C-alpha cells in the first residue's frame, strides 16, 4: 500500500493548495476514503497472533500520542500567529480555545456556549482520533466468528448514523462513523489477499477504464452540482471510493518499481504521518512570507499556479526530511545496544 499512500499524501497537499477549485473538489471526493482503506489494508488483525489489548497498544494507541504531540505543536504556532499577528488576540482567550480544541479532537464539534474556534487545528488532526475509533472497532470485529459480515454490518450502521444526521461529535466520532466502511473494505482485502496473485493485464485494463470514467464523472459533477450539500458530498465520497480508490488499488497491486522510484514511493508513504497534519502550518508560513515579497505577492498568491507549486514543493522539501530526521533518531534510541 506504499504507492497508494504516496499518491494520497501528494493529493492531500495539492488539494489544500488549490482550495476552492474544481481540482480541489475532485481530490476531496476520494482522498480520505483512500487513507482509511489503506489503514484497513495494513492493519495486522488476528494474523499477527496478538490479542486486542496488544494490538491496541502496538498499532492504535500510537495514534493518540501522535494526535497529542502534533496538536501541541499546532496550538503553539496558532497562538503565536494570532497573538503577534494582525489579530492581536489575547493569550488567555487563545489558551482556553486551543485547550478545548485539544480535548474535543474534532473538526466539526464545539462545546455549546463557547466560541466557535474550538475545533482542532491544524484541521487535518481530526484524522488521528477518527483512525483510533476505526481501528479499535475493526480490531474488535476481528474477534467475532464471522468478522467480515460483522464488519459490513457495522459499516451499514455507520452509514445509517450519518443518514440520521447525528451532527458533530467529540473526538471525531462522527467522522469515524463515516470512515469505518472504508477500513472494513481495506481489512477484507488484507484478510482475503484479494490482490494475490497480482491482477492480469485484462483486469488492469478494466480498472484503468473504470478509474478514468470515475474521474471524468466526478469532474463533471463538481461543476454541475456545486455547491455540494454535506449529504451529497458524502455520497460523492462513496462513489469516489468505488470508482477511483478501488480501481487504483487494483492497478497498483503487484506493480514493479525501479529501485529509485520504489525509494521515493516508500519515503513519501512513510512521511505522510508528518506531512498530513503539518503542511497546513507550512502553507501558513509561506503565506506570511509571500505577503512581504512586494511585486511577487500576486503571482505567488494562494491558488495561483506558481503559488501552488511553491506551497506543495516547500511542504515536501521541509517535512519529508524532518520526518526522516525525527523518526530516524527515535529508531536509533529504541534500537537495542550491541
Amino acid at each position: 500500500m506504499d504507492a497508494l499512500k504516496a499518491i494520497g499524501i501528494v493529493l492531500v497537499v495539492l488539494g489544500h493548495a488549490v482550495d476552492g477549485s474544481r481540482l480541489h473538489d475532485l481530490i476531496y471526493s476520494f482522498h480520505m476514503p483512500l487513507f482509511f482503506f489503506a489503514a484497513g489494508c495494513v492493519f495486522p488483525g488476528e494474523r499477527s497472533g496478538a490479542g486486542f489489548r496488544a494490538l491496541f497498544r502496538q498499532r492504535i494507541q500510537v495514534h493518540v500520542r501522535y494526535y497529542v504531540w502534533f496538536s501541541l505543536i499546532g496550538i503553539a504556532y496558532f497562538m503565536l500567529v494570532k497573538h503577534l499577528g494582525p489579530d492581536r488576540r489575547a493569550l488567555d482567550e487563545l489558551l482556553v480555545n486551543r485547550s478545548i480544541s485539544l480535548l474535543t479532537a474534532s473538526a466539526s464539534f464545539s462545546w455549546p456556549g463557547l466560541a466557535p474556534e474550538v475545533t482542532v487545528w491544524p484541521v487535518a488532526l481530526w484524522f488521528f482520533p477518527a483512525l483510533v475509533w476505526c481501528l479499535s472497532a475493526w480490531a474488535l470485529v476481528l474477534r467475532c466468528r464471522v468478522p467480515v459480515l460483522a464488519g459490513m454490518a457495522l459499516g451499514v450502521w455507520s452509514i445509517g448514523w450519518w443518514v440520521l444526521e447525528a451532527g458533530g461529535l467529540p473526538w471525531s466520532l462522527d467522522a469515524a462513523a463515516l470512515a469505518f466502511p472504508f477500513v472494513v473494505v481495506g481489512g477484507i482485502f488484507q484478510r482475503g489477499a484479494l490482490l494475490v496473485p497480482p491482477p492480469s493485464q485484462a483486469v488492469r485494463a478494466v480498472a484503468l477504464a473504470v478509474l478514468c470514467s470515475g474521474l471524468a464523472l466526478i469532474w463533471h459533477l463538481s461543476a454541475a452540482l456545486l455547491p455540494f450539500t454535506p449529504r451529497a458530498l458524502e455520497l460523492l465520497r462513496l462513489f469516489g471510493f468505488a470508482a477511483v480508490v478501488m480501481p487504483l488499488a487494483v492497478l497498483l497491486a503487484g506493480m514493479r518499481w525501479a529501485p529509485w522510484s520504489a525509494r521515493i514511493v516508500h519515503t513519501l508513504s512513510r512521511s505522510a504521518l508528518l506531512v498530513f497534519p503539518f503542511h497546513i502550518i507550512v502553507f501558513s508560513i509561506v503565506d506570511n512570507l509571500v505577503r512581504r515579497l512586494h511585486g511577487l505577492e500576486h503571482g505567488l498568491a494562494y491558488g495561483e499556479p506558481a503559488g501552488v507549486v511553491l506551497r506543495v514543493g516547500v511542504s515536501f522539501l521541509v517535512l519529508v526530511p524532518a520526518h526522516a530526521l525525527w523518526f530516524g533518531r527515535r529508531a536509533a534510541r529504541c534500537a537495542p545496544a550491541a
Side-chain angles (χ1 to χ4, degrees), residues 162-323:
W162 157 69
V163 171
L164 293 175
E165 297 181 346
L169 294 170
W171 265 85
S172 298
L173 190 55
D174 52 331
L178 295 172
F180 185 66
F182 308 125
V183 175
V184 170
V185 176
I188 293 173
F189 267 66
Q190 182 263 350
R191 283 173 51 79
L194 299 184
L195 298 181
V196 178
S200 64
Q201 292 299 322
V203 172
R204 291 182 189 274
V206 172
L208 180 60
V210 172
L211 174 63
C212 294
S213 301
L215 290 173
L217 183 57
I218 294 172
W219 181 262
H220 172 73
L221 290 174
S222 67
L225 299 180
L226 286 177
F228 290 116
T229 64
R231 182 176 294 184
L233 183 58
E234 293 305 328
L235 285 173
L236 186 64
R237 284 174 178 156
L238 289 174
F239 176 77
F241 176 72
V244 178
V245 176
M246 296 301 294
L248 185 60
V250 172
L251 283 172
L252 295 175
M255 182 175 290
R256 295 182 179 179
W257 301 85
W260 64 269
S261 59
R263 285 194 296 271
I264 293 175
V265 167
H266 180 71
T267 300
L268 286 175
S269 173
R270 294 292 301 274
S271 64
L273 177 67
L274 210 62
V275 175
F276 190 85
F278 286 149
H279 73 278
I280 301 296
I281 294 179
V282 174
F283 278 22
S284 175
I285 294 172
V286 171
D287 289 342
N288 286 312
L289 293 176
V290 164
R291 294 191 189 101
R292 292 166 171 77
L293 298 176
H294 301 294
L296 296 175
E297 65 270 23
H298 297 295
L300 297 176
Y302 200 95
E304 294 294 328
V308 171
V309 173
L310 175 66
R311 285 161 179 80
V312 173
V314 171
S315 294
F316 284 104
L317 287 174
V318 171
L319 295 175
V320 171
H323 176 274

Side-chain angles (χ1 to χ4, degrees), residues 59-80:
R59 302 299 297 269
I60 301 175
Q61 183 176 299
V62 63
H63 297 294
V64 178
R65 293 201 299 268
Y66 289 148
Y67 168 74
V68 173
W69 280 111
F70 294 167
S71 292
L72 291 175
I73 296 172
I75 287 171
Y77 176 79
F78 184 91
M79 292 180 62
L80 180 67

Side-chain angles (χ1 to χ4, degrees), residues 81-89 288:
V81 171
K82 290 296 183 180
H83 179 64
L84 300 180
D87 293 346
R88 294 293 178 180
R89 299 273 295 277
N288 286 312

